[in-house]
Amino acid sequence: MQILFLPFKRGNNLQLFSSSSGLDPREVVEVLEQFLQEGRVSALLWEVCHQQAQAGCLELQDSLLNKIVCLPEHVSNKLQGENPPVFFPQNYFPLLGDAVLQVLEKISDSLRGGLDCSISFVSHVLGKVCVHGRQKEILGVLVPRLTDLTKSDCIWQRMCWRLVECVPDQLCFLPDPQLLGSLVVKNKKAQFVVTQKMLLLQYGHTTAVLQNLLGYLSLDSLRRPLLLRVLQELLETWSSSSAVKHSPAEQQLYISKAILICLSHLKEPEIESCRQELLTSMMEGVKCHLDSSLPQLRRLGMVVAEAISLKINTEGPVLKFEKAGAALPLVLESSEKSHTAAPVTPGEESDAELDSDDDLIPYDMSEDKELKIKAPVYIRDCIEVLTGSRPEDVDKWEATVKALESLVRRNPAATREVSVELAKILLHLEEKTCIEGFVEIRQRAQVAVLTTDPIPVAKYLTSQFYSLNYSLRQRMDILDVLVLAAQELSCPKFLGKTKHSGVQKPCIPLLPGSDSSKDWRRIVDERIKSKTRRFDMGQSRVELASHPNEFNSVAGYFFFPLIQHFDRPLTTFDLLGEDHLVLGRLVHTLAILMYLAVNTVVRKGIEQGWLPAWEPEVPSGTAMCFRACCTETGSKLELSGLRS
Amino acid sequence: MLTVLMALPPPDPQFVLRGTSAPVHTLHFSCGGPEPDIPLLFSGSENGFIHVWNLKTHRVDTALDGHGRKSVYCVETMGGKDRLLSQGRDQRICLWDLAEGRTSVTDSVFTEHMGFCRCSLLKVAQGRWLMAMAARSLEEVQILELPSKTSVCTLKPEVGAKLGMPMCLKLWQLSCGSQPVLLAGYEDGSVVLWNVSMGKALSQLSCHQEPVMSLDFDSEKAKGISGSSEKVLSIWCLNEQQNLQVYKTHELVNAGISDITIRPDKKILATAGWDHRIRIFSWKKLKPLAVLDYHTATVHCVSFSDHSSPWDRLLAAGSKDQRISVWSIYAQT
C-alpha cells in the first residue's frame, strides 16, 4: 500500500485516480478500500503531522487535504452507482474521525515525550470536513471522546483548543464549551465568531446551541465581560427600529431568545452597572415592537420587555403586558435559581386563543358605539327622503323630520330655491312613525320655511287655504303657520325656540361700527359714570336692539288673499256654512295679522281696503260684519297686549 | 402595575351567503351528519322561500316554496336534514320531506296565529316530538305532539294576567324522560315557566319593560337569558323550587335584540341586534367578548352550527340586508 503513496511523498502528480493513468478504477478503489479498512489513514495523517513539524511542503499538503476530504466524492464520481459502502459519507467520515483521534493520541504521546508536533494539518482536515457539511458525522465521533479526554488532561485541552483555533468558523458545531477553553478571549477570530457572527449574523442555530454558547461565556470570569458586551449588542439590535422593521421574524425571535438567555445569566452587580442602559433599550425596543404590524413581533417585544423589566426592577412596579393570544409557554427562571435558562420559546404561538371558559379572550370592542342615524345635511336630500317611496327607511325619515327646521334656518339661500316645494311637502306630511311632538315639529318647520321665503310661500299657502280637498285640520294649520310666521317676522327679536348656532345674525346693526369706535365710547361712558353723582337709579329698562320690520313688506301677501274668497263656498269647504269652526279661526288670524301690521305701511290699506275688495259680490252687510269682528278682535288684542 | 391592553380587532366573516333576495328571518344548521354528508344551512326569508345552502359550495342547493310567498320566520330540522319544519306568516307550520332530493310538504298545521312567535320543538322519544306554538287565542300557547298533531295541552294564563301575546318559546326537559317544561316570553316583558303535563304555570318573572323578543335557556345550569326591544339583557335562573329569579342584567350600547342563542357547548352566546351588530358574550359570566359589525341593517337571527368537530363550528347571522354572514369565532375551545 505504501508503494502507492510513495509518489505522494515525492510530490508526483496525483493522477492515479484518473482513467488516463490506465488503471482500472475499480481496481484502484479496491486498493483504497483495503487502505481504509486497515486504518492507514491515521498513518497518513501522522506522517504529515510529523513531517510538518520538520519541514513543510504546502502544495503536497493541500492536495492531500483535498483528496482525503473529498475521497467519497471522487470515488462515487468514478464508479457512479457502484460505490463500496465504506466510501459512503456516513461511513467514511466517522472512519476519518477515528483516524483523527488516533493521530491525536499519537501527537499527545509525542508531546508528552517532549517532541514537537504540529496539529494544524489535522485541524485543517477537520475544518474542511465541516465546511463540506459533514460536521455531524465527524464531530459525532470526535466530540464525545475529546470531552472525556479533555476533562482532566491539560495537554488534551490544549490540543483541543489548537484544533478549534484553526477553524474558528466551526465553533458553532462544538456543543461543549469545555472544548473551547478561553479561546474566545485570546483568539480574535474566535471572539468575532462567538460574539458577532453566531448571534447577530446567523440565526439558524437551535436554542440549545445558544444556551451552550452563552452559558460558556458566563462560566468564566474572564469571559463575563464578553457576555455583557454581547447583551449590549443584542439589545442595540433589538431596540433598533430599522432592524425591527426589516429583519426577518425568525432572526428577531433568535435575538430575543439570546437576550433572554443572557439576562438569565446576569448577576446582580452586573445588572446594577448597566441598569440605565437596559432601561433605555427596553423603552426604545418596546416602542419599535409595539409599532409593528405583525402580532408576533408585538408579542416578542412584550415578552422581552417584561423580562428586562423584571430584571431591573426587583422591587417596585414591574412592566406587565396583557397578551391577548396564546398562553405563551414562556418560562424564564431567575438567575438565582440556576445559571442555565430554561427553554425560552416565545415564538411558539398557537392559533388557539382560549384555554378554558374564563380565558376566552375578548376582541377589541372600541368601535362599538351608539348607533346614530344621520339626518341629511342638504335641503334637497331632505326633500328626497320625505317624498321617498321607500317605506323601510323610517329611521332616516324620522331623523330628517327632526332635523329639518334647523337645516332650513341654517341654509336660507338653499331653502329659497325650493321653498314652495318644501311648503307643499310639509303641508301634506303625515306622521309615519310615532315621533313625540310631531305636530309641533312640523309646524316649526313650516314657520321656518315661511319666514325664510315669505312671499312665494305665503302665496302658496293662502291659495291652498281656499282650495279643494284639504282637511279642516290642514286649513287651520295654514292659518296657524301664517300667524306664527307673521309674529316672527314682525318681532324685534327672534322668537324661534331653537337656538341658532351663531350662524344667524341676531340683529342687523343699523350703524356699522368698528372696534375702535366702541372702545372710545366705552372709555367715555366710564369716565362719565365715574364723574356723575347718581341720586336715583330709576327704572331699568332693557333696550331692545332695533331692526327693520320684516313683516312690513309681506303683510299684504299674508292678509289680502285670506279675505278674498271667504264667502265663496267650495264643495269641500264652506266657510260660512258647516265649517264655521274655521271661520272663527280665520277671523282670529286676520285680527292678529292686522295687529301685527300696526307698524307697517300697509296698515291703512288693510283697514280701509276691505270693502272695495269685496264689492260688488259680497252683500255689504256680511262684509261689514266680518270687518267689525276683525277689528274688534284686533282691538281686544291690543288692549290685552296678548299675542297668541 | 402598568397594564397595556393589546386586543385583536374582531374577525371578519368566514364567508357571506348572498342570494336570498329578501330579508332573512330564520336560520338553522344541519352539519352533524358524518362524511360524506354535506353540511347544510337552512334559511327562511321574507319572500316565503326556504333556501337550503350547501356550506361547501356556498350556494343554494334547493329553494322550497311552501308558504304562499309569506314570510318564513322559523325553520327547524327534526332529527336530521331530511325532515324539516317551517313556520310562516301564512299561519301554517309545514313539515317537509327532503330525503333523496324530494321537496314535498308532507303535513301542515294551521296555527291561526297572526304574530311572529317562533314555535319550539323538543324530541321526547324516537320519532316523537312536542311542539309549542302560539295559538289562535291571544295569550295562549298550544302544545302539540308531532307527527300525530294531537294536542297535548293548551297553556292559558289566568284571567287578568294581561301578559299579552307570547313572543318566544322554549321547550326543554332536564333529561330524557323527565317532565317537559316550557319557558315563554310575553308581550308585557315577563317570562313564565309552564309545566306542560299539568298545564299550569310554575313561576312568572317580570324581566323587561318591553316585550321579550327572544330567550334561550341552559338546562344544565338552570340559567336563562332574554332580550327585548330595550337596552337590557336579563339573565335569570331557576332555583330548586322551580322559581325564576333575576340573576343579573347587562346593559347594551344600543337598544333592541331580535334573537339570542347559546352555543351547544354552553361556553358562549350570540345576540342579534337591531343596531346591525352581533354580540358575543361568555355564558359563564356574561363577559362581552366581541362585537361583529358586518351587516348594514337589523340582524334578525343568529344560529350556531352543530358540527361534531369543534374546530368546524360556525355562527350564522341573517339580516334585513338580505345577507347571511357566517363566522368562525372561538371555535377552538
Side-chain angles (χ1 to χ4, degrees):
Chain A
M1 303 314 140
Q2 308 223 248
I3 305 165
L4 261 176
F5 288 90
L6 278 172
F8 292 154
K9 280 194 176 176
R10 282 179 203 148
N12 280 359
N13 208 331
L14 299 169
Q15 290 299 333
L16 271 173
F17 298 138
S18 71
S19 47
S20 56
S21 70
L23 288 164
D24 180 12
R26 260 180 292 248
E27 278 181 24
V28 176
V29 165
E30 261 181 53
V31 170
L32 279 171
E33 204 176 344
Q34 213 175 357
F35 180 75
L36 289 177
Q37 277 164 350
E38 286 181 17
R40 301 307 300 163
V41 180
S42 62
L44 177 60
L45 288 173
W46 172 242
E47 278 285 330
V48 178
C49 291
H50 209 52
Q51 270 193 347
Q52 255 185 335
Q54 296 152 6
C57 180
L58 283 170
E59 207 187 279
L60 176 63
Q61 277 182 29
D62 275 340
S63 23
L64 259 180
L65 179 67
N66 189 21
K67 290 298 172 217
I68 290 174
V69 175
C70 303
L71 191 61
E73 272 105 15
H74 287 309
V75 171
S76 58
N77 280 344
K78 276 289 154 206
L79 297 183
Q80 299 288 322
E82 296 163 11
N83 259 14
V86 75
F87 291 108
F88 293 167
Q90 57 265 36
N91 299 328
Y92 177 76
F93 287 104
L95 202 135
L96 187 59
D98 282 331
V100 163
L101 270 172
Q102 285 172 16
V103 170
L104 286 175
E105 274 173 26
K106 282 202 186 128
I107 293 174
S108 100
D109 289 337
S110 154
L111 285 173
R112 265 175 247 272
L115 288 169
D116 260 342
C117 215
S118 167
I119 205 173
S120 60
F121 184 68
V122 177
S123 71
H124 282 302
V125 164
L126 201 59
K128 197 162 168 99
V129 168
C130 290
V131 166
H132 278 250
R134 295 292 167 196
Q135 62 271 23
K136 216 166 54 180
E137 286 91 350
I138 201 166
L139 291 177
V141 168
L142 276 177
V143 170
R145 211 45 205 112
L146 283 175
T147 320
D148 285 334
L149 288 166
T150 53
K151 270 203 178 103
S152 43
D153 196 328
C154 57
I155 291 187
W156 272 102
Q157 281 179 0
R158 287 280 247 310
M159 273 188 352
C160 212
W161 299 345
R162 287 286 306 175
L163 252 183
V164 177
E165 199 174 29
C166 296
V167 284
D169 281 346
Q170 312 312 323
L171 271 176
C172 44
F173 302 120
L174 286 173
D176 195 338
Q178 273 180 279
L179 297 174
L180 297 174
S182 288
L183 192 60
V184 285
V185 180
K186 296 181 207 153
N187 187 317
K188 284 279 170 259
K189 196 156 183 221
Q191 202 179 89
F192 173 76
V193 168
V194 168
T195 59
Q196 303 272 349
K197 189 168 174 185
M198 281 178 72
L199 294 170
L200 298 169
L201 301 174
Q202 296 173 338
Y203 55 93
H205 302 299
T206 61
T207 318
V209 168
L210 267 179
Q211 281 174 303
N212 264 322
L213 185 66
L214 295 167
Y216 159 70
L217 285 178
S218 69
L219 277 175
D220 192 85
S221 57
L222 281 175
R223 301 194 286 266
R224 283 199 82 94
L226 279 179
L227 181 72
L228 284 171
R229 209 173 79 194
V230 154
L231 178 62
Q232 267 172 356
E233 286 183 4
L234 285 170
L235 279 175
E236 230 178 85
T237 314
W238 182 76
S239 60
S240 140
S241 67
S242 71
V244 174
K245 264 192 241 176
H246 301 298
S247 44
E250 294 79 20
Q251 187 168 25
Q252 298 199 38
L253 176 62
Y254 184 81
I255 289 177
S256 309
K257 279 193 222 176
I259 292 176
L260 291 168
I261 298 173
C262 278
L263 283 175
S264 74
H265 285 299
L266 283 184
K267 291 204 190 107
E268 191 52 46
E270 285 156 343
I271 299 175
E272 208 42 63
S273 63
C274 58
R275 187 187 295 272
Q276 195 51 43
E277 278 171 42
L278 282 174
L279 184 65
T280 325
S281 313
M282 181 186 81
M283 296 309 286
E284 278 175 30
V286 142
K287 184 175 170 310
C288 305
H289 279 83
L290 290 180
D291 279 339
S292 159
S293 54
L294 296 171
Q296 59 260 43
L297 286 181
R298 292 200 288 264
R299 232 165 284 180
L300 264 181
M302 286 191 257
V303 165
V304 174
E306 272 186 19
I308 298 176
S309 152
L310 201 63
K311 270 288 163 188
I312 61 181
N313 296 321
T314 42
E315 71 241 23
V318 165
L319 183 65
K320 192 129 179 68
F321 287 99
E322 266 189 44
K323 293 180 271 293
L328 304 170
L330 168 62
V331 176
L332 186 61
E333 286 175 17
S334 64
S335 55
E336 288 96 65
K337 289 187 193 159
S338 77
H339 277 294
T340 51
V344 164
T345 42
E348 230 79 78
E349 293 148 13
S350 55
D351 278 338
E353 303 140 345
L354 325 153
D355 292 328
S356 73
D357 259 30
D358 294 324
D359 287 344
L360 290 164
I361 313 282
Y363 286 95
D364 177 29
M365 289 180 278
S366 55
E367 297 290 310
D368 187 24
K369 292 180 199 117
E370 262 192 59
L371 197 65
K372 286 189 187 123
I373 307 285
K374 287 170 84 172
V377 193
Y378 301 105
I379 304 269
R380 286 189 193 273
D381 292 340
C382 289
I383 294 176
E384 250 182 63
V385 173
L386 292 174
T387 55
S389 51
R390 285 187 60 187
E392 303 99 44
D393 251 345
V394 280
D395 290 324
K396 192 124 188 181
W397 184 92
E398 217 178 283
T400 309
V401 166
K402 287 184 189 161
L404 189 58
E405 190 207 343
S406 53
L407 267 177
V408 163
R409 289 198 189 272
R410 271 202 297 248
N411 303 294
T415 312
R416 270 179 223 121
E417 287 170 20
V418 290
S419 55
V420 178
E421 204 181 324
L422 259 179
K424 194 166 168 182
I425 294 167
L426 285 168
L427 190 60
H428 294 94
L429 196 69
E430 264 164 62
E431 201 167 348
K432 252 193 202 177
T433 68
C434 181
I435 306 178
E436 253 181 62
F438 174 76
V439 174
E440 207 187 83
I441 293 174
R442 184 180 58 181
Q443 197 176 69
R444 285 214 305 264
Q446 285 173 308
V447 168
V449 174
L450 185 48
T451 49
T452 311
D453 198 11
I455 297 176
V457 179
K459 271 192 197 165
Y460 170 73
L461 285 176
T462 50
S463 67
Q464 296 305 297
F465 180 71
Y466 285 110
S467 297
L468 290 171
N469 293 334
Y470 278 100
S471 68
L472 295 187
R473 178 71 257 165
Q474 278 170 315
R475 295 185 208 266
M476 295 215 274
D477 274 346
I478 292 175
L479 296 177
D480 289 338
V481 168
L482 286 168
V483 162
L484 287 171
Q487 213 163 33
E488 199 178 300
L489 288 170
S490 62
C491 190
K493 55 179 182 288
F494 277 112
L495 286 178
K497 291 173 194 73
T498 55
K499 291 190 180 52
H500 308 296
S501 57
V503 174
Q504 292 246 323
K505 297 189 284 293
C507 61
I508 304 161
L510 294 170
L511 288 170
S514 62
D515 276 313
S516 56
S517 65
K518 284 196 193 127
D519 273 347
W520 73 254
R521 191 178 286 268
R522 193 167 42 83
I523 292 168
V524 167
D525 283 340
E526 275 172 21
R527 207 176 283 165
I528 293 172
K529 206 160 128 185
S530 61
K531 296 202 191 272
T532 317
R533 274 174 65 190
R534 295 197 178 273
F535 297 101
D536 186 9
M537 286 305 282
Q539 271 197 328
S540 58
R541 291 191 61 194
V542 178
E543 281 212 19
L544 298 166
S546 58
H547 82 115
N549 185 343
E550 284 172 29
F551 193 50
N552 180 26
S553 45
V554 299
Y557 291 97
F558 279 54
F559 189 82
F560 292 115
L562 281 178
I563 58 172
Q564 289 228 328
H565 306 293
F566 80 95
D567 58 343
R568 283 201 208 123
L570 303 164
T571 37
T572 55
F573 186 46
D574 186 8
L575 199 55
L576 300 176
E578 292 185 325
D579 306 315
H580 50 268
L581 176 67
V582 186
L583 177 67
R585 215 28 182 282
L586 179 63
V587 166
H588 192 85
T589 305
L590 289 170
I592 296 176
L593 288 176
M594 227 165 61
Y595 175 65
L596 291 173
V598 72
N599 294 319
T600 66
V601 172
V602 193
R603 186 180 188 170
K604 265 201 171 159
I606 288 175
E607 284 175 3
Q608 292 164 3
W610 293 49
L611 216 49
W614 295 342
E615 281 185 18
E617 299 106 13
V618 176
S620 47
T622 327
M624 287 291 243
C625 255
F626 193 64
R627 193 186 158 180
C629 275
C630 291
T631 324
E632 187 59 39
T633 322
S635 59
K636 272 216 179 87
L637 283 174
E638 271 189 26
L639 283 172
S640 65
L642 260 181
R643 293 169 171 213
S644 67
Chain B
M1 181 144 80
L2 262 176
T3 320
V4 176
L5 191 68
M6 288 286 296
L8 296 170
D12 287 327
Q14 206 175 64
F15 51 91
V16 176
L17 300 173
R18 290 162 227 261
T20 51
S21 327
V24 179
H25 283 285
T26 179
L27 291 168
H28 190 87
F29 278 97
S30 178
C31 312
E35 293 279 325
D37 269 3
I38 302 165
L40 297 174
L41 174 64
F42 295 93
S43 74
S45 318
E46 206 166 283
N47 58 5
F49 279 95
I50 299 160
H51 295 275
V52 184
W53 296 89
N54 180 326
L55 291 177
K56 289 250 164 76
T57 62
H58 304 173
R59 299 278 187 274
V60 175
D61 270 354
T62 331
L64 307 169
D65 183 8
H67 288 275
R69 305 300 164 96
K70 292 282 171 79
S71 178
V72 175
Y73 57 90
C74 179
V75 278
E76 297 263 351
T77 50
M78 294 169 71
K81 58 185 178 57
D82 293 333
R83 293 182 64 181
L84 189 71
L85 178 145
S86 65
Q87 188 178 15
R89 291 272 290 151
D90 60 342
Q91 300 175 36
R92 285 203 318 157
I93 292 179
C94 294
L95 295 167
W96 300 77
D97 173 21
L98 302 177
E100 291 157 11
R102 293 190 283 270
T103 57
S104 50
V105 178
T106 51
D107 211 347
S108 69
V109 176
F110 189 52
T111 63
E112 294 177 83
H113 172 60
M114 309 273 275
F116 297 87
C117 181
R118 292 180 178 135
C119 64
S120 174
L121 277 177
L122 178 69
K123 185 167 182 175
V124 287
Q126 189 61 25
R128 269 181 55 220
W129 279 266
L130 281 183
M131 179 178 72
M133 60 182 207
R136 177 164 54 112
S137 185
L138 186 62
E139 295 190 343
E140 287 175 10
V141 174
Q142 210 177 8
I143 314 283
L144 292 186
E145 199 207 33
L146 290 179
S148 59
K149 300 200 293 191
T150 46
S151 171
V152 171
C153 71
T154 309
L155 304 172
K156 270 190 269 246
E158 57 192 36
V159 178
K162 289 218 170 76
L163 294 173
M165 275 192 338
M167 303 288 298
C168 45
L169 303 168
K170 173 106 182 153
L171 262 179
W172 58 280
Q173 54 185 170
L174 196 52
S175 55
C176 212
S178 58
Q179 300 246 352
V181 190
L182 173 74
L183 277 164
Y186 288 86
E187 212 180 330
D188 73 333
S190 28
V191 172
V192 177
L193 181 72
W194 293 90
N195 180 317
V196 170
S197 335
M198 295 195 284
K200 60 178 202 130
L202 295 171
S203 167
Q204 178 176 339
L205 178 67
S206 181
C207 314
H208 298 280
Q209 309 290 328
E210 305 271 319
V212 181
M213 300 301 288
S214 175
L215 60 84
D216 204 356
F217 187 71
D218 175 4
S219 47
E220 289 160 36
K221 295 195 189 120
K223 208 163 79 164
I225 181 169
S226 59
S228 88
S229 48
E230 48 184 23
K231 278 191 185 182
V232 176
L233 280 176
S234 177
I235 299 94
W236 27 268
C237 56
L238 201 58
N239 62 13
E240 293 85 33
Q241 293 86 30
Q242 302 285 68
N243 279 330
L244 290 167
Q245 292 168 319
V246 173
Y247 175 65
K248 79 197 247 193
T249 56
H250 179 89
E251 178 137 346
L252 299 162
V253 173
N254 292 306
I257 293 287
S258 317
D259 197 9
I260 299 183
T261 181
I262 304 173
R263 198 163 73 174
D265 68 349
K266 315 282 191 253
K267 292 232 171 103
I268 60 173
L269 69 98
T271 65
W274 290 3
D275 60 354
H276 323 334
R277 292 170 202 163
I278 304 153
R279 286 159 205 283
I280 311 285
F281 297 88
S282 78
W283 178 222
K284 209 163 162 186
K285 293 183 185 152
L286 214 76
K287 176 167 87 160
L289 291 174
V291 176
L292 307 173
D293 195 4
Y294 168 76
H295 289 286
T296 52
T298 304
V299 184
H300 284 309
C301 49
V302 274
S303 179
F304 281 104
S305 70
D306 56 346
H307 282 94
S308 35
S309 156
W311 291 77
D312 296 333
R313 285 179 297 186
L314 299 168
L315 165 70
S319 161
K320 195 171 153 184
D321 64 7
Q322 304 179 3
R323 294 196 180 89
I324 300 168
S325 56
V326 183
W327 311 74
S328 171
I329 189 162
Y330 296 115
Q332 290 95 353
T333 20

